[in-house]
Amino acid sequence: MAQSPLTLTDVTKRFGGFTAVEGLSLDVPEGRIIGFLGPNGAGKSTSLRVSLGVIPPDEGMVRLFGAPPNILSLRRVGFLPEERGLYKKMTARETIAYFARLKGLTAGEAKARADELMEST
């Protein structure tokens, strides 16, 4: 039997007192394309961010290609959110380091590379 590329089991994510996703279970069969539909605030983006390990779930389990999201599994995934990927509460240096971490650099390497890039401008 083929392994599901993405499985969420009873995933819940809260931000303070606000529950963005509650008890989501989802199994995406291999070879399928899915879409998340719903109004703003329904938890679509949060569910995708949890699925990719960008933010951790407060409860439940996420499996991406059979394991918790990790750098190897993320190399097999393309993700293009509606937002441009810039976070208002992060500095330019923090944003560069964040994206460097997503590409596999350690925290120290990411910060050093961000510093290099900021100095070169």
Side-chain angles (χ1 to χ4, degrees):
M1 179 190 302
Q3 176 180 320
S4 295
L6 177 62
T7 302
L8 283 74
T9 307
D10 295 322
V11 169
T12 296
K13 181 62 186 176
R14 295 179 193 86
F15 298 98
F18 175 73
T19 301
V21 176
E22 184 172 17
L24 175 62
S25 292
L26 171 72
D27 187 54
V28 178
E30 186 175 7
R32 295 287 177 100
I33 297 172
I34 65 161
F36 282 31
L37 301 175
N40 290 345
K44 302 177 301 292
S45 295
T46 298
S47 296
L48 289 170
R49 288 183 179 116
V50 168
S51 296
L52 298 176
V54 175
I55 56 176
D58 293 314
E59 297 173 20
M61 182 180 67
V62 176
R63 291 290 178 262
L64 190 59
F65 301 106
N70 60 66
I71 193 64
L72 293 177
S73 62
L74 289 173
R75 288 184 178 152
R76 299 175 63 187
V77 174
F79 175 58
L80 182 62
E82 184 177 349
E83 304 95 32
R84 306 303 176 254
L86 300 176
Y87 300 98
K88 293 177 184 177
K89 294 182 180 180
M90 293 174 78
T91 66
R93 180 174 272 112
E94 290 168 336
T95 301
I96 293 168
Y98 170 72
F99 282 106
R101 293 292 315 274
L102 291 178
K103 287 297 185 181
L105 273 66
T106 66
E109 292 168 335
K111 289 177 184 175
R113 185 66 179 130
D115 288 341
E116 289 173 23
L117 290 170
M118 292 298 293
E119 297 293 324
S120 70
T121 58

